[in-house]
Amino acid sequence: MGDMNQSVASDFILVGLFSHSGPRQFLFSLVAAMFTMGLLGNTILLFLIRMDSHLHTPMYFLLSQLSLFDVGFPLVTIPKMAADFLQGEASISFEGCAAQIFFLTMMGVAEGVLLALMSYDRYVAVCYPLQYPVLMRRQVCMLMVGTSWLAGMLNASVQTSITLHFPYCASRIVDHFFCEVPALLKLSCTDTSVYELALSTSGVLILVLPLSLITASYGHVLGAVLRMRSDEAQHKAIATCSSHITVVGLFYGAAVFTYMVPGAYHSPHQDSVVSLFYSLITPTLNPLIYSLRNQEVRMALVKVLNRAGLRPK
């Protein structure tokens, strides 16, 4: 109990992302610009899906949930990092650290599950178009979204409670720009090897299971596309899946590096860069990918601009 009380009473010190870099002011401005672009892009996408009746479909309902995660990810990490940079200090309370761990692990797992379920949506749309309204009815979509949120919350509750149960009585310096579980465990003054092994195993399962569903879904989609006789139908099927495949590649590429590549093969600085990728760069790129590569989203944006008088008719 004494160790736990000491942990709760003390703040952690975060190693800022820019401490390893040269042109700090330029990098800070770049991160701030991307943060603003990401929030604006995802907010616009959420607004368009809400306002345009043509986007009231299962695919865009699931996409709106993805945009919610992409708003949440940067908000948990970037404002704190920016405040630390501007104030010249990088302390975070035990409670603040717990909040970061909970929300990041929750959204990370929830987004991974959601991306897998979105691939199933594309599989049904391409392979069973006539049954699509039944197979992807509103109740099914709500169940998908609820499953992703529930999986994220359960994982976050377990990871946060176990991680913060360990006593932290040694160094208080977290070699990361936010509280991430592997970086925090290095500071514990007890043996965490069993938990780290369990964490790695569960991380692999959390990645492999959704990736297996995604691979199976798009394997069937590819087979269905190759059997199509119409070039127009092939183009439409590829267009409707390409955006999602790109987003999956960005998200899971960073996740595989972080959780499936042994820690001995990447440094703390590399971990910080990869974490910045999935917590900022990917959420910023996702709305651009879906808007630039999706005609329905572009048309919805044009309609909104016309109504606002910002675009000539």
Side-chain angles (χ1 to χ4, degrees), residues 176-240:
H176 212 292
F177 67 92
F178 62 84
C179 287
E180 193 172 49
V181 173
L184 203 61
L185 289 176
K186 294 177 182 178
L187 306 182
S188 178
C189 49
T190 61
D191 183 17
T192 61
S193 57
V194 175
Y195 176 56
E196 289 181 44
L197 179 60
L199 197 63
S200 299
T201 303
S202 63
V204 170
L205 290 175
I206 289 171
L207 288 174
V208 168
L209 292 177
L211 277 175
S212 299
L213 177 59
I214 292 169
T215 302
S217 297
Y218 281 113
H220 285 89
V221 168
L222 179 61
V225 169
L226 293 176
R227 290 192 296 269
M228 292 177 180
R229 298 183 178 180
S230 168
D231 291 340
E232 182 180 352
Q234 284 186 340
H235 177 75
K236 184 177 180 181
I238 292 173
T240 194

Side-chain angles (χ1 to χ4, degrees), residues 11 33 53 58 67 98 136 140 169 192 207 212 221 246-247 276-277 280 292:
D11 291 346
S53 59
S67 291
M136 290 300 298
V140 174
C169 50
T192 61
L207 288 174
S212 299
V221 168
T246 304
V247 170
L276 184 69
F277 191 87
L280 177 64
L292 295 177

